Amino acid sequence: MLVRLIYASRVQPDVGPGDIDQILQVSQANNARDGITGALCYTGSVFLQCLEGGRDQVNAAYHRIVADARHSDPLLLGLREIAQRDFTEWGMGYVGYTAENRALFLKYCPRPEFDPYTMSGASVEALFQALIGVARWKSAR
Ligand SMILES: Cc1cc2nc3c(=O)[nH]c(=O)nc-3n(C[C@H](O)[C@H](O)[C@H](O)COP(=O)(O)O)c2cc1C
């Protein structure tokens, strides 16, 4: 059975671009092994991540991820069964919060700044739908 899980978390203050590269490299490797796909959004202060895959695999990954000291305050925004994946091309795609895509992020937010903690499950799902064509692999520097 396939599920999609979406959560938000707060980035620890000492986390920088090198950490993001490391997280994405480990995620690509582990998620390919576990049949998980998805995308990670990083704004500098919050993460928003979508994980798709088998229920047991997504559950195990989520438990591993929320125990990671590089972020805190995980908020589960959505967990549901799905008929098919959205992020078929990405073991873990990356979407930065840039001047170019700011309007896209804000389209689904109730406030003038992007804050996933204020968003409904339906809105975060709609945001990830819109980000399917935007996700990229962030290469290690
Ligand atoms: C915001 C964030 C997202 C992460 N996403 C994933 C992920 O999708 N898959 C994964 O295996 N690890 C992810 N991690 C890393 C895990 O917390 C953990 O470090 C890693 O799974 C351990 O893998 P290892 O046992 O192979 O070293 C993420 C960490 C953070 C902080």
Side-chain angles (χ1 to χ4, degrees):
M1 179 204 302
L2 272 176
V3 301
R4 179 180 302 124
L5 184 154
I6 300 175
Y7 75 90
S9 63
R10 299 197 192 283
V11 181
Q12 283 301 106
D14 57 347
V15 166
D19 293 283
I20 304 304
D21 284 348
Q22 199 272 341
I23 287 168
L24 288 168
Q25 274 183 4
V26 170
S27 300
Q28 289 274 344
N30 286 350
N31 295 355
R33 176 196 66 200
D34 299 335
I36 292 175
T37 49
L40 177 69
C41 303
Y42 167 68
T43 69
S45 58
V46 291
F47 289 116
L48 179 65
Q49 189 175 26
C50 167
L51 297 162
E52 308 169 326
R55 182 173 58 193
D56 292 351
Q57 288 76 15
V58 168
N59 183 50
Y62 183 64
H63 280 277
R64 225 168 46 233
I65 292 166
V66 294
D68 195 310
R70 290 171 289 193
H71 59 171
S72 61
D73 300 337
L75 180 64
L76 188 60
L77 294 170
L79 172 63
R80 71 177 182 89
E81 292 173 21
I82 53 173
Q84 74 276 317
R85 300 164 191 264
D86 283 339
F87 288 92
T88 46
E89 291 180 36
W90 301 104
M92 191 44 59
Y94 174 76
V95 185
Y97 185 54
T98 63
E100 292 76 49
N101 65 25
R102 188 155 305 177
L104 187 56
F105 276 82
L106 293 178
K107 182 174 173 183
Y108 304 93
C109 280
R111 300 213 190 128
E113 71 278 359
F114 179 66
D115 180 1
Y117 285 84
T118 65
M119 293 170 71
S120 70
S123 290
V124 288
E125 283 233 23
L127 171 60
F128 275 110
Q129 283 281 339
L131 292 176
I132 292 167
V134 178
R136 296 284 176 268
W137 162 243
K138 186 174 191 280
S139 61
R141 58 204 64 221

